[in-house]
Amino acid sequence: MNRIVIIGCPGSGKSTFARKLHVKTGIPLFYLDMIYHRPDKTTCTPQEFDEKLDEILRQTRWILDGNYIRTMPVRLAFCDTVFWLDYPLEVCLEGIEARFGKHREDMPWIETGRDEAFMEFVCAFPRTTRPEIIKLLEKNRDKKIIIFHSREEAEEYNICHV
């Protein structure tokens, strides 16, 4: 494993899993949310995002945390390993609620409560984004794809396999 993509519904624990993997492997970790979002809650342009992503993809080792479905095909083309935290929506909603008011190194601000547009995206994730992920992963069967269906499976992997 040298180029790793970590994907999953918001609230699934992608960033937590990514941090643990980074600590165990020493592979540089990049949070796509930190590239896209600015501290003032504005976002970079697609061109700026793509340029920063391209800089990372040219490196020999990296962990990329985040979905950003628009850029997933190019990330999958460059990676050798994919971790998909494919959890039930209820688990992800609990994860989102648990992070309110807490500092996170993967986000440039502290979430203080529900953002309705974001919550609509999250609630739609199983029927909109998840099928897109499945299609993309089917096209990338040459990659090592590891799918977790529970937090316990992901934790066990981080403890036993890295």
Side-chain angles (χ1 to χ4, degrees):
M1 287 189 304
N2 287 305
R3 294 176 168 180
I4 303 164
V5 169
I6 301 175
I7 55 177
C9 183
S12 62
K14 296 180 298 295
S15 300
T16 300
F17 182 84
R19 269 191 303 281
K20 290 178 181 179
L21 196 60
H22 162 71
V23 168
K24 287 196 169 217
T25 64
I27 298 172
L29 170 58
F30 301 92
Y31 300 109
L32 296 181
D33 281 341
M34 290 297 286
I35 295 170
Y36 184 68
H37 296 286
R38 295 181 175 129
D40 65 0
K41 298 191 178 182
T42 61
T43 58
C44 68
T45 67
Q47 181 181 352
E48 290 171 314
F49 186 87
D50 293 350
E51 288 171 1
K52 291 175 184 176
L53 179 60
D54 185 58
E55 288 176 22
I56 296 166
L57 293 175
R58 284 187 268 122
Q59 297 178 27
T60 57
R61 300 179 83 211
W62 40 256
I63 298 171
L64 283 172
D65 160 43
N67 291 315
Y68 293 83
I69 200 81
R70 180 183 69 80
T71 64
M72 198 173 293
V74 71
R75 287 181 284 130
L76 291 174
F78 277 84
C79 80
D80 55 46
T81 306
V82 178
F83 289 97
W84 182 14
L85 283 59
D86 186 22
Y87 302 163
L89 177 60
E90 298 76 26
V91 171
C92 299
L93 292 172
E94 290 170 5
I96 290 168
E97 295 287 333
R99 65 190 190 196
F100 291 154
K102 296 180 181 169
H103 171 75
R104 299 167 42 202
E105 68 181 59
D106 61 308
M107 186 61 81
W109 65 77
I110 296 175
E111 292 173 292
T112 56
R114 289 175 164 251
D115 173 299
E116 289 311 313
F118 176 67
M119 295 308 288
E120 286 178 23
F121 169 78
V122 172
C123 289
F125 190 94
R127 67 178 186 283
T128 57
T129 307
R130 186 178 183 278
E132 289 184 57
I133 290 172
I134 291 169
K135 287 178 189 173
L136 288 168
L137 293 181
E138 285 175 355
K139 293 178 184 176
N140 287 275
R141 291 181 186 261
D142 60 319
K143 311 298 179 178
K144 183 175 184 178
I145 300 171
I146 301 164
I147 303 172
F148 302 123
H149 298 287
S150 70
R151 293 187 192 283
E152 293 77 19
E153 287 178 2
E155 186 62 27
E156 182 180 328
Y157 182 92
N158 254 329
I159 291 169
C160 298
H161 294 93
V162 180

